[in-house]
Amino acid sequence: IPPNFVPSIEKGFRAITERGLLTGNPLIHTRVVLEDGQAHEVDSSAEAFQAAAAGAFETFYQDAAPCVLEPLMAVEVTFPAEFQSQTMQTVSSREGAIQATSAVSSDTSMVEAIVPLRRMFGYSSELRSVTQGQGEFSMEFKTYAPMPAEKQEELMSEYRKRLHAERK
């Protein structure tokens, strides 16, 4: 491949990874290695190499065993000690993995947990409800992890439906 076409190949790969084939979301943790190729005096162009790169990516995408990643949040919940069991239940019901519990003072406790971001929406209302308005929480991004298979299937199905509707 002539060196002047390598940026076009990279552009083709980058374009296809901006909208993943599973759910339409950008791909991360992706590495592409250009090993070989062929150019033709008449048919070779920047656009042709971009299209070839995108086609190659689509061809081998499923072989890479792609999965949907979701953000996991480090969550700290502070609440009156008398509401510990209810608060722990709210975290657990949101697929939270409790990392630690501690007493902040004689009447206040804290729970540290890792919780998927998709499960944190509406948590402040639930926490206020079970702690009579006295509980509070903070969260920050921790890492990405593979989403449960059934949730991945839901997202993939929704994406396929959207694509089908757009083609009509």
Side-chain angles (χ1 to χ4, degrees):
I1 297 174
N4 59 320
F5 288 125
V6 173
S8 296
I9 295 169
E10 182 178 354
K11 187 175 181 181
F13 280 120
R14 289 192 186 277
I16 195 80
T17 60
E18 286 179 15
R19 53 166 182 79
L21 302 176
L22 290 181
T23 61
N25 295 313
L27 297 168
I28 61 171
H29 306 303
T30 304
R31 180 174 165 243
V32 176
V33 178
L34 176 63
E35 291 184 354
D36 194 20
Q38 192 170 2
H40 188 270
E41 290 177 21
V42 177
D43 297 331
S44 293
S45 68
E47 294 78 18
F49 276 100
Q50 283 180 30
F57 185 83
E58 288 176 5
T59 300
F60 295 103
Y61 183 70
Q62 292 302 326
D63 293 346
C67 68
V68 178
L69 299 178
E70 68 178 338
L72 297 182
M73 310 303 285
V75 178
E76 280 188 4
V77 185
T78 306
F79 52 91
E82 65 194 82
F83 300 113
Q84 182 160 356
S85 65
Q86 297 96 316
T87 304
M88 299 284 274
Q89 184 179 358
T90 64
V91 172
S92 295
S93 71
R94 291 176 178 268
E95 301 174 30
I98 295 171
Q99 305 295 299
T101 59
S102 58
V104 176
S105 66
S106 61
D107 60 346
T108 306
S109 296
M110 181 177 70
V111 170
E112 296 175 24
I114 306 298
V115 186
L117 178 61
R118 69 182 158 76
R119 300 291 284 140
M120 289 305 296
F121 296 101
Y123 185 64
S124 60
S125 298
E126 183 180 9
L127 180 62
R128 280 194 301 266
S129 174
V130 300
T131 62
Q132 297 177 357
Q134 299 174 57
E136 50 187 49
F137 78 99
S138 65
M139 66 179 175
E140 65 180 40
F141 174 77
K142 175 85 172 160
T143 189
Y144 286 106
M147 185 177 273
E150 65 277 359
K151 296 295 180 188
Q152 283 189 49
E153 273 303 317
E154 284 178 31
L155 287 176
M156 290 165 51
S157 176
E158 289 173 18
Y159 180 61
R160 285 191 294 268
K161 287 177 187 174
R162 265 196 336 258
L163 285 178
H164 185 69
E166 289 173 4
R167 290 180 183 151
K168 285 186 176 183

